[in-house]
Amino acid sequence: MQASATRPGFTALFTPKLLTVLREGYGLGALKADIVAGLTVAIIALPLSMAIAIASGVPPERGLYTAIVGGFLVSALGGSRFQIGGPAGAFIVLVFATVQAHGIDGLILATFLSGFILLAIGLLRLGTFIKYVPYPVTVGFTSGIAVIILTSQLKDFFGLTLTGAEPGPFIPKLQALAQAAPTVNSAALLLALGSVAVIVGLRRWRPHWPGFLIAVVAATLVAWALGLPVETIGSRFGGIPQMLPAPHLPDLSTEKIMAVLPAAFSFALLGGIESLLSAVVADSMTGRRHRSNSELVAQGTANIGSALFGGFCVTGTIARTAANVRAGARGPVSGMLHSLFLLAFMLVAAPLARFIPLAALAAILAVVAWNMAEKHQFAALLRSSWGDAVVLLVTFLLVVFRDLTEGILVGFGLGALLFLHRMSEAVRVEHGVSSLTDQPDSGEGPYSAANATDDDVVVYRIAGAFFFGAAAAVGAALDRIGGQPKACVIDIGSVSFLDSTAAATIEGFVRKARQQGTNVYLAGASQPVRKLLRTHGMRPPALRFYSRLDDAITAARRDAAN
């Protein structure tokens, strides 16, 4: 009875964060901050949306339609305060394959159907289960997508001329590009390299400047002033329109629906994972918590709206969401304004877009792919354990050489089998202990009443199997630590198993605690667990290891007193 009383109701789960922010009080200062953040993100999204559209095999204006309509709906209806929606690099592979198989009309229909699938997932409250995707699967498919995006940009980056259409599969694509190597356009290559240099240089020395937009503007001016023989948006697509098209329904014939339904499910699956990952990133940066099912309902509505206006897949975008947070956004209004700014840019500057060199847009996506690759996480997982390495590599190779959806599903299946194997061994060795305690025990010893009332040092105990399925619950429990203690002691002496997702959760908690001036001490970690945590960068002084809980508490109190 008590559990049902505390369980959040429908309204609490699905109220958009926009209403929450407005109820809390939204003043002129917050509006000014959101205007600045929205403009900052719009400047980033303008060239990126067109670049993603072109790489996906559709005209550049489709990317703008997606960011304007879909981005507005994601922010207005979503369960995250800071989520920025729009076209994402992660979808390039799926969108390109769908366009090749079913044309642009089939792509729009698949996007439209994926919206209803996401709506159903959210309303049925299934969004909670997306967190069960293992960390190696997430890193594997993200790194695989990065490789595919990079190879898809080689043609425009080098200004190559192919004898036929560019193949979609990875190996035939590389073979066709290798055969076209003698046709390298030196002007296009220099523009692309110069654009990369501008973006990288600005990120290092002027990180708050809009590197993508500056690189595109500079490349466009150089190409126009010198009359360089390079392909542009105008030469390939004839420019972009200055207004949104009138909304219209896609072809809803039964035959067409059945043909694109697999693509629609793929869009929904990837969109759900990507949007919730982006929301989690925003949470980790701000200390807020998103509403996962409300976010999926918003993503579904945004995909339906995008399709009605001729756009394609919408999802939460991690890089733009992070930029929104760093720019000082106060709530969803910044995301809504970002879409309105993009609309204004399209209305005013559309005639100038025809002069943008495709080599500059290829340079943008090359940088995006490099940043997406999660190189450090990939290397850490390869070192962590043979099981995580197998799941990672299988997912990565299937995404690159076969299919994105197949890679996710097979990787998830392998992760589940590996987990069952580990749990069977853990039950025998650890006698089946399986509980999570985020409150101090009563009685004497390290969990005595004295420790429970110590404001400077808090002690948490995690017991049982700490794996990817439990990581969200443990992370939420750790986030509920009240106040700002000087030290936090985490006792994992009773943890029967800890995987890389759990290690990433601990790493995230330690990073946030350090930002708040709280030292973290870990007690009871076995040597394999210490090794796993070290591969994720957890070394003293960020995290101090102790074999005994008493020693960890003594050290924490000593340091807190100094």
Side-chain angles (χ1 to χ4, degrees):
M1 189 70 180
Q2 185 178 358
S4 62
T6 59
R7 184 179 302 165
F10 183 88
T11 302
L13 287 174
F14 292 98
T15 299
K17 284 290 186 176
L18 175 62
L19 293 181
T20 302
V21 170
L22 295 178
R23 288 170 182 169
E24 292 172 352
Y26 188 79
L28 183 60
L31 177 60
K32 289 180 178 178
D34 282 338
I35 289 174
V36 173
L39 180 60
T40 301
V41 178
I43 291 173
I44 296 172
L46 179 65
L48 191 56
S49 298
M50 292 189 291
I52 291 173
I54 293 172
S56 301
V58 298
E61 66 268 18
R62 303 279 181 174
L64 294 176
Y65 301 160
T66 304
I68 292 169
V69 178
F72 186 90
L73 292 174
V74 165
S75 295
L77 304 176
S80 170
R81 291 173 183 257
F82 307 103
Q83 184 84 280
I84 299 295
F91 278 91
I92 289 176
V93 180
L94 285 176
V95 172
F96 185 85
T98 303
V99 172
Q100 294 295 306
H102 306 289
I104 293 180
D105 290 341
L107 168 65
I108 294 174
L109 177 58
T111 301
F112 186 73
L113 296 176
S114 72
F116 287 99
I117 296 171
L118 282 167
L119 274 175
I121 293 174
L123 292 174
L124 292 173
R125 307 185 187 186
L126 300 178
T128 309
F129 295 98
I130 292 181
K131 68 172 177 276
Y132 294 123
V133 177
Y135 187 62
V137 176
T138 302
V139 174
F141 84 73
T142 303
S143 300
I145 290 169
V147 170
I148 295 176
I149 292 174
L150 185 61
T151 56
S152 71
Q153 297 309 298
L154 294 178
K155 174 180 177 292
D156 289 333
F157 196 97
F158 288 90
L160 300 176
T161 302
L162 303 182
T163 55
E166 184 175 358
F170 186 72
I171 296 300
K173 181 190 294 288
L174 291 182
Q175 292 173 341
L177 293 173
Q179 292 174 358
T183 67
V184 169
N185 184 329
S186 57
L189 178 58
L190 289 175
L191 278 180
L193 292 174
S195 299
V196 170
V198 169
I199 295 170
V200 174
L202 288 176
R203 284 192 174 181
R204 180 172 182 179
W205 289 294
R206 293 291 186 271
H208 297 295
W209 290 17
F212 286 162
L213 186 63
I214 291 174
V216 167
V217 171
T220 302
L221 290 175
V222 169
W224 174 77
L226 300 180
L228 298 180
V230 295
E231 196 171 13
T232 64
I233 286 179
S235 64
R236 182 179 294 183
F237 301 102
I240 62 175
Q242 287 185 265
M243 62 183 66
L244 287 174
H248 64 280
L249 286 170
D251 180 9
L252 296 176
S253 64
T254 304
E255 181 181 357
K256 194 72 171 177
I257 289 175
M258 296 306 296
V260 303
L261 199 56
F265 275 105
S266 298
F267 291 164
L269 174 63
L270 181 58
I273 294 173
E274 190 77 5
S275 62
L276 295 188
L277 282 176
S278 179
V280 168
V281 169
D283 288 349
S284 67
M285 295 178 68
T286 62
R288 300 284 187 172
R289 299 194 72 81
H290 71 282
R291 299 177 183 128
S292 59
N293 291 302
S294 176
E295 184 62 28
L296 291 179
V297 168
Q299 296 290 338
T301 306
N303 275 277
I304 294 171
S306 175
L308 290 176
F309 283 88
F312 54 98
C313 314
V314 181
T315 189
T317 56
I318 296 176
R320 275 160 275 173
T321 297
N324 186 42
V325 174
R326 287 194 293 266
R330 302 288 183 85
V333 174
S334 64
M336 299 162 64
L337 289 173
H338 126 272
S339 296
L340 295 180
F341 282 128
L342 280 176
L343 177 60
F345 291 158
M346 188 176 73
L347 295 176
V348 173
L352 301 177
R354 62 187 305 269
F355 298 104
I356 296 176
L358 296 182
L361 297 180
I364 289 177
L365 285 182
V367 174
V368 169
W370 179 258
N371 293 332
M372 279 181 63
E374 302 200 52
K375 301 168 288 296
H376 300 298
Q377 295 90 332
F378 199 100
L381 286 170
L382 288 177
R383 298 192 303 267
S384 60
S385 71
W386 69 266
D388 287 337
V390 168
V391 174
L392 171 73
L393 290 175
V394 168
T395 304
F396 173 78
L397 294 174
L398 284 176
V399 167
V400 173
F401 294 101
R402 291 280 298 174
D403 176 73
L404 178 62
T405 306
E406 184 176 331
I408 294 175
L409 294 177
V410 173
F412 180 83
L414 283 176
L417 290 175
L418 181 64
F419 164 71
L420 293 175
H421 172 70
R422 287 171 169 173
M423 287 302 96
S424 64
E425 292 186 340
V427 168
R428 290 196 301 271
V429 173
E430 301 295 338
H431 307 290
V433 178
S434 58
S435 63
L436 167 65
T437 302
D438 58 6
Q439 299 289 340
D441 289 347
S442 59
E444 299 298 322
Y447 297 100
S448 63
N451 286 324
T453 57
D454 191 339
D455 293 332
D456 290 335
V457 179
V458 296
V459 182
Y460 266 49
R461 177 169 65 91
I462 303 172
F466 190 3
F467 67 106
F468 60 84
V474 175
L478 293 176
D479 287 342
R480 288 199 295 269
I481 295 177
Q484 289 189 349
K486 294 181 180 179
C488 177
V489 179
I490 303 177
D491 177 17
I492 62 170
S494 298
V495 169
S496 57
F497 166 69
L498 187 146
D499 71 352
S500 57
T501 308
T505 301
I506 293 177
E507 188 272 337
F509 170 76
V510 171
R511 184 176 65 252
K512 290 166 61 177
R514 295 279 293 178
Q515 290 173 352
Q516 297 173 357
T518 301
N519 294 322
V520 183
Y521 305 78
L522 194 69
S526 63
Q527 286 302 321
V529 169
R530 293 190 185 196
K531 179 181 178 182
L532 177 60
L533 290 172
R534 288 192 183 101
T535 63
H536 285 264
M538 290 291 93
R539 296 181 175 85
L543 181 64
R544 297 169 172 86
F545 296 91
Y546 290 87
S547 299
R548 298 177 64 250
L549 179 58
D550 288 333
D551 295 338
I553 294 177
T554 300
R557 286 179 171 170
R558 181 184 65 244
D559 295 342
N562 295 332

